[in-house]
Amino acid sequence: MKCEIIKDLLPLYMDKLTSQESNREIEVHLQRCRSCREYYQEMKGELPDILPRAQVDETALIRKVSRKGKRMKRLAILVILVLCVLLAGSVVVFRPSKVDSSEVELLYGRVGNTVYAQMNESKNRTIQFTGSVDSIKDDKGNSIGQEMYLKTLTSVYSPQKGGESRWEDTITEDNQIVRWIFEFEDKIVTIENGELISEEEK
Ligand SMILES: [Zn+2]
């Protein structure tokens, strides 16, 4: 039977008004002819065969994409968290802090014309210093010595305990005064020619 005739008969077939013989012809045709089958499905209010499958695939695809998006989001959050932890850790380890005078051992003295000062650290830190050097002058403006101002700072964690810093100088005719001023968190200690001159609370 021709498609046009089938399509004309389909409304009757749907209402079960066609003969058994026509029914058989129509059913055989519908099995073989995709165009009429889709026409019939549309008439019945069904969607053609291909569409639902395409839709299923599409939703699966969307689900896949959004799952991948979530994974990327989780990865980004993880990366940010790790960076925060690293940053906080480095601030704790590397942040410079001042040293309390009780936290270190300060040694000083004079041997012959050599004067010295030594600072021993008892913690796992490396003591660092900021400061300046000035010359000490007499009334006529001649240099008669040197003053070194040292502000104590710890900035680096050290796996080894008890690091030390040492200063030495020689007393001469042109260098009669050797003064080291150490600034701690709690006080300022002045050592001159290997002797303790003053200890000022801050
Ligand atoms: Zn047909």
Side-chain angles (χ1 to χ4, degrees):
M1 243 189 270
K2 278 189 178 174
C3 290
E4 289 308 310
I5 299 166
I6 294 287
K7 280 173 183 168
D8 285 344
L9 285 174
L10 279 174
L12 299 172
Y13 170 73
M14 242 174 67
D15 292 336
K16 298 182 169 132
L17 299 171
T18 40
S19 67
Q20 281 199 350
E21 203 182 335
S22 296
N23 287 351
R24 226 173 293 127
E25 291 266 1
I26 290 165
E27 280 156 14
V28 167
H29 184 92
L30 283 179
Q31 276 177 10
R32 288 176 188 164
C33 176
R34 183 174 157 176
S35 160
C36 288
R37 192 165 61 241
E38 282 177 10
Y39 181 84
Y40 175 55
Q41 283 174 328
E42 260 175 75
M43 260 179 54
K44 284 199 299 181
E46 285 176 7
L47 287 167
D49 282 341
I50 349 159
L51 249 174
R53 192 170 299 169
Q55 278 175 341
V56 165
D57 287 348
E58 206 176 311
T59 49
L61 196 70
I62 288 166
R63 217 175 291 142
K64 230 181 211 172
V65 166
S66 71
R67 213 179 287 149
K68 198 177 177 188
K70 265 185 205 163
R71 222 178 291 145
M72 292 299 286
K73 210 172 175 183
R74 246 181 261 144
L75 188 69
I77 289 170
L78 188 71
V79 166
I80 289 167
L81 275 177
V82 166
L83 285 178
C84 284
V85 167
L86 285 178
L87 189 70
S90 67
V91 165
V92 168
V93 172
F94 296 114
R95 187 192 54 167
S97 62
K98 282 203 196 155
V99 181
D100 206 87
S101 65
S102 64
E103 294 176 321
V104 297
E105 184 187 20
L106 186 60
L107 305 170
Y108 43 85
R110 178 171 179 165
V111 180
N113 285 332
T114 302
V115 292
Y116 69 88
Q118 185 172 323
M119 201 180 288
N120 297 334
E121 171 65 283
S122 56
K123 294 185 176 178
N124 288 67
R125 299 183 300 194
T126 300
I127 301 182
Q128 296 197 329
F129 303 89
T130 59
S132 54
V133 182
D134 276 317
S135 64
I136 301 169
K137 289 177 175 150
D138 66 5
D139 299 342
K140 293 169 191 166
N142 300 317
S143 175
I144 54 163
Q146 208 181 59
E147 180 182 291
M148 198 185 282
Y149 193 93
L150 296 149
K151 203 173 192 170
T152 57
L153 289 173
T154 58
S155 61
V156 183
Y157 171 80
S158 162
Q160 224 175 331
K161 231 176 209 182
E164 58 176 55
S165 308
R166 190 179 168 90
W167 300 265
E168 265 185 29
D169 208 344
T170 308
I171 306 287
T172 61
E173 200 67 32
D174 303 329
N175 195 34
Q176 298 168 30
I177 301 168
V178 176
R179 189 183 294 150
W180 291 305
I181 303 171
F182 296 101
E183 184 186 335
F184 295 98
E185 178 74 63
D186 56 332
K187 55 174 84 170
I188 296 171
V189 177
T190 304
I191 308 290
E192 196 173 297
N193 291 355
E195 284 176 31
L196 178 67
I197 295 297
S198 73
E199 215 170 330
E200 271 177 67
E201 303 281 332
K202 278 170 85 179

